[in-house]
Amino acid sequence: SEPGFVLVDSLCIPPASEDWTIATTCVLTDKAYTIQGDIFIKNGGTLDMRGTTNITFKGAGREIYVEPGGNLYQAGTAGFNR
């Protein structure tokens, strides 16, 4: 297990209509979300997608920004825009 504070799924819900900033460890397992903005993973933040998790971007030109020291992990069939 990784050190640090881990937010459980219920606390890792993206905002309804704006960018999603992740500054700590957020683990999503078998979840589906629609994102209305971009995703920003800050230094020290982690987005860990597991199982069948899917994040769909609504609208064109949406981006995922991972700052130095931030992490994005995908395991299983987790992914984007599936």
Side-chain angles (χ1 to χ4, degrees), residues 10-76:
S10 62
L11 299 176
C12 289
I13 298 172
S17 61
E18 57 193 41
D19 293 337
W20 187 16
T21 300
I22 298 169
T24 188
T25 299
C26 187
V27 178
L28 304 177
T29 303
D30 301 324
K31 301 293 180 183
Y33 297 107
T34 299
I35 305 291
Q36 305 257 352
D38 297 325
I39 297 175
F40 293 88
I41 303 172
K42 302 297 220 175
N43 179 16
T46 297
L47 176 57
D48 185 347
M49 299 168 57
R50 301 175 183 187
T52 60
T53 295
N54 181 57
I55 295 176
T56 300
F57 290 98
K58 186 172 182 180
R62 298 298 180 202
E63 303 284 340
I64 303 167
Y65 300 95
V66 182
E67 293 183 359
N71 298 291
L72 172 62
Y73 300 115
Q74 290 176 257

